[in-house]
Amino acid sequence: MRFAIKKKTFSIAVAAMVASLLVLVTINTTARPANVNQDVGVLRVAQSIPLPGVKGRIDHIATDIGGQRLFIAALGNDTLEIVDLRSGKRIHSITGLREPQDVTYVPEINRIFVSNGASGSVSIFGSRSLRYEGNITFREDADNLRYDAHSKYLYVGYGKGSLGVTDVMSGKIIGDIRLAGHPEAFQLETKGPRIFVNIPSARQVAVVDRDKRSVIAVLPLKESGNFPMALDEKRHRLFIGCRRPATMLVYDTESGREVARIDIGRDVDDISYDPVHRQIYTSCGEGFIDVIRQTEADHYEVTARLKTARGARTSRFEPESMLFYLAVPSESGKSAEIRVYDFLTK
C-alpha cells in the first residue's frame, strides 16, 4: 500500500550508512575514483559567464530551452538577471524586485514568474519584452515556485506555512494548502497527484495530495535544515538535503521508508537528479559539488567532489540540454558568474 494514502506519521527506518566515501576529485584533476564505471558522465566546466555588478546572495535559476536563456534570481541584488547562452553574456537585468527568491518560465504563455521574499508577491514579466505585467500577491515571504504543465497551475510556497495555487492563465489565486511551517523546496509528481514538501522548521517532509489540496502524510526527520529536494519518480526515490548534519537522505515514496543516507558537503541548497547518468548533484555553500551515483534504487556512492567557490550553493541541472548551471556569488573583488558544466566521458 502506498504510504501517501495513510494519513499518519511514519517512523524512520534508518538504513545502513554508506560504507565509505570514494576518492575526492576537483574540477582541475583528471583522475577518477578507481571503481567508477568508465561510462559514467563526469561534470566539467565548459563556460563561465560573468555577472558584473551583481552583489550578494544568488537564489534559484530557471531555463528557457528554446530561447537558450537563463533567468537568475539575484536575491541580494534585487534583480532578475537574464543570460544568453549562445553568446555567453548577460543581456538584461530587471530591477526593482524585492528579494527575488525563485523564478519560473512558462513557455505556453510566454511569461516569467518571480517570487519576492520581502513583498510576498509573485511578479509577472513577458518573456520576450521582459516588461512587467502584474503581481500575484500573497501575505508574506513568497519563495519556491513549481509549475504543473498539465493543470496550468503554479504552486507558490509562502508565509508561515502555505502552498498557494495559482492559475497562470488568469493570474488568480484559486487555492491554498496549509502546512506545519514555511515550505522550502518541493517536488510535484508528473504521474500522480502528490507534492513532497520540505518544512525545515517542523523537521518534516509533508506529502500533499494536490487534488484534495491537503496534507495526507508526514515524514518526520531527525536531521534539520532540510532545504533542497529532488525526485526520481521512476524508481520512487526522494532525495532530501539536510544541513545539520550535512547529509542526503533517500526515501522510498511508496512505503515512506528511509533507504539510504550519504554524507555531503556543508550548506547544501540545491539538489538535482540526472536520470541519464543516474546521478545526484548537490551544490554546497562550503565550496563543492558532490556527485553521487545511484548504483541501485537503495544503493548510492559519492564518485566525485568538485571544487567550486565558497557560497556557490545555487544550481540547476537541465535534463533536456544535459547541462548543469552553478551560480557563483561575487567575493573579494571577483565578479559573480554562472558556471556551465557539461559532461566528459572517458
Side-chain angles (χ1 to χ4, degrees):
M1 179 178 293
R2 290 174 55 161
F3 84 96
I5 63 175
K6 294 182 179 181
K7 191 170 184 179
K8 69 175 186 176
T9 300
F10 287 86
S11 60
I12 300 177
V14 180
M17 292 289 290
V18 174
S20 61
L21 292 178
L22 303 178
V23 178
L24 302 182
V25 185
T26 62
I27 56 174
N28 58 357
T29 300
T30 57
R32 299 170 66 192
N35 58 346
V36 177
N37 288 350
Q38 295 300 304
D39 61 349
V40 172
V42 176
L43 284 175
R44 63 176 181 180
V45 177
Q47 186 181 26
S48 294
I49 303 173
L51 299 173
V54 173
K55 305 298 182 183
R57 178 181 153 201
I58 299 174
D59 221 335
H60 298 295
I61 301 169
T63 54
D64 169 11
I65 301 297
Q68 288 289 288
R69 294 180 298 174
L70 292 183
F71 305 111
I72 301 123
L75 183 149
N77 207 52
D78 287 332
T79 58
L80 181 72
E81 303 296 318
I82 295 93
V83 164
D84 178 70
L85 292 170
R86 294 187 183 96
S87 64
K89 295 180 180 179
R90 177 182 59 189
I91 55 173
H92 194 74
S93 182
I94 295 175
T95 60
L97 298 169
R98 299 186 62 192
E99 295 184 1
Q101 301 197 88
D102 203 358
V103 53
T104 293
Y105 168 57
V106 181
E108 299 98 311
I109 59 172
N110 294 309
R111 298 292 183 276
I112 305 164
F113 296 82
V114 184
S115 61
N116 294 271
S119 67
S121 65
V122 176
S123 301
I124 306 170
F125 299 91
S127 66
R128 294 170 182 166
S129 67
L130 301 179
R131 292 177 180 171
Y132 171 77
E133 296 189 357
N135 265 348
I136 305 169
T137 302
F138 296 89
R139 286 189 292 273
E140 59 181 336
D141 197 8
D143 200 343
N144 282 265
L145 306 173
R146 297 293 183 270
Y147 176 60
D148 181 352
H150 177 72
S151 66
K152 304 295 190 294
Y153 292 164
L154 179 70
Y155 292 85
V156 183
Y158 76 95
K160 292 181 173 60
S162 291
L163 284 183
V165 188
T166 301
D167 183 340
V168 299
M169 306 305 290
S170 66
K172 294 181 179 179
I173 300 171
I174 60 171
D176 193 77
I177 302 167
R178 300 298 297 169
L179 303 168
H182 178 77
E184 290 294 337
F186 56 97
Q187 296 293 333
L188 281 63
E189 287 183 322
T190 60
K191 297 181 179 179
R194 295 181 297 177
I195 309 174
F196 302 95
V197 188
N198 265 335
I199 307 177
S201 62
R203 291 195 179 189
Q204 66 175 228
V205 174
V207 184
V208 170
D209 185 313
R210 61 184 185 266
D211 294 335
K212 297 177 181 177
R213 294 183 185 169
S214 63
V215 175
I216 56 173
V218 168
L219 297 175
L221 305 179
K222 292 181 180 178
E223 298 74 13
S224 63
N226 51 309
F227 286 87
M229 173 189 289
L231 177 65
D232 173 9
E233 191 171 356
K234 181 178 179 180
R235 294 173 184 83
H236 313 291
R237 293 297 178 264
L238 186 69
F239 310 109
I240 304 160
C242 299
R243 295 180 182 174
R244 293 176 298 278
T247 309
M248 187 186 81
L249 306 175
V250 184
Y251 275 83
D252 181 336
T253 60
E254 298 296 281
S255 68
R257 181 174 61 93
E258 180 190 313
V259 297
R261 56 174 55 214
I262 303 96
D263 292 339
I264 58 174
R266 294 191 298 271
D267 196 25
V268 63
D269 200 52
D270 269 323
I271 292 182
S272 299
Y273 177 66
D274 172 356
V276 174
H277 297 109
R278 291 184 64 177
Q279 296 183 150
I280 302 102
Y281 311 115
T282 70
S283 53
C284 305
E286 181 183 2
F288 296 98
I289 299 167
D290 286 316
V291 180
I292 302 166
R293 188 183 180 202
Q294 182 189 54
T295 56
E296 297 176 12
D298 293 348
H299 295 92
Y300 300 81
E301 57 186 19
V302 176
T303 59
R305 171 163 285 185
L306 311 181
K307 185 175 176 58
T308 57
R310 186 164 297 278
R313 63 184 197 172
T314 296
S315 63
R316 181 182 179 92
F317 173 69
E318 184 50 65
E320 189 169 338
S321 62
M322 293 301 293
L323 294 174
F324 180 85
Y325 305 102
L326 179 74
V328 180
S330 61
E331 186 179 20
S332 302
K334 294 183 179 179
S335 174
E337 64 179 1
I338 297 294
R339 293 181 188 172
V340 183
Y341 293 73
D342 62 9
F343 290 91
L344 173 67
T345 302
K346 292 186 178 182

